Amino acid sequence: MPVPIRRLVVALTLCCSLLAGATACGSDTDDATQDTAAVAAASPSGSPEKQKLAKTRFVANAGLAAGASYQWIVKPWKAGKFKKGAKGRTFALVKAGLAGTFAYNRLKAASKNAKGDPLLSKAVAPLTAGIDALKDLPSKLRKGDGDAASSFDDIINKVKDAGKSAGAEVTEKVPSASELTGG
């Protein structure tokens, strides 16, 4: 059984080298605290780390959320697929539930990305409560609440408008089935 022994030796060597490197690069806690405070003071958002490509990530995440919600929530809602007794209602609700979960996840990520850019952060900040309220969409749709889909559409449009006002225009991008189920 030479393969497991070889893996063990490689893993042991890697761990030892990482441990030796970490102890050699260590610093005093006072210096580390001062460095973190200096970075936080220099950052316009007040956080120690400014996110790279914050606007680009925001546009990508918000675009995926907008595309998924329009394709699998708003269009079927306008077509009357969520009404009780409608043909294909169950399948439409399953797709809407997946799309709602995906869009909620991407909107939360977009909101987090917006915090990395000062202008975008100010524009998106008032929408966080609305984004959090979207968590209950699948249960509302199952109960036949027609306003649930319209509230999702309203929040998506507000996020798109906030991005546009901050110079990060969001365009809808319909995610693939693997993106939708993989999150």
Side-chain angles (χ1 to χ4, degrees):
M1 300 188 99
V3 174
I5 293 171
R6 208 176 313 155
R7 286 183 186 164
L8 180 64
V9 170
V10 169
L12 185 59
T13 306
L14 182 62
C15 287
C16 289
S17 65
L18 288 174
L19 182 62
T23 56
C25 294
S27 66
D28 292 341
T29 55
D30 293 337
D31 292 341
T33 305
Q34 289 173 353
D35 291 344
T36 305
V39 170
S43 174
S45 64
S47 65
E49 245 180 84
K50 187 173 180 182
Q51 198 176 74
K52 291 183 181 180
L53 303 171
K55 279 187 179 181
T56 305
R57 289 179 178 184
F58 170 81
V59 169
N61 284 321
L64 285 170
S69 66
Y70 183 75
Q71 182 70 28
W72 290 295
I73 297 172
V74 175
K75 276 176 52 176
W77 168 64
K78 287 182 178 178
K81 295 270 187 177
F82 300 142
K83 292 181 181 176
K84 291 187 180 187
K87 185 177 180 184
R89 179 179 186 256
T90 304
F91 191 59
L93 284 172
V94 169
K95 289 192 297 187
L98 280 172
T101 303
F102 176 82
Y104 172 74
N105 183 324
R106 294 297 87 207
L107 285 173
K108 291 295 278 185
S111 176
K112 184 178 176 183
N113 296 139
K115 292 177 184 175
D117 183 71
L119 185 60
L120 197 54
S121 178
K122 290 176 186 174
V124 175
L127 303 175
T128 55
I131 292 170
D132 289 337
L134 297 176
K135 193 184 311 185
D136 302 327
L137 176 78
S139 63
K140 289 179 180 180
L141 287 174
R142 272 194 305 275
K143 293 175 185 174
D145 185 3
D147 293 334
S150 68
S151 66
F152 212 93
D153 193 33
D154 290 342
I155 291 295
I156 293 289
N157 288 332
K158 287 178 183 177
V159 168
K160 288 167 69 174
D161 290 342
K164 188 174 184 176
S165 71
E169 191 163 344
V170 176
T171 56
E172 293 177 3
K173 181 186 181 298
V174 178
S176 67
S178 64
E179 286 176 318
L180 189 64
T181 56

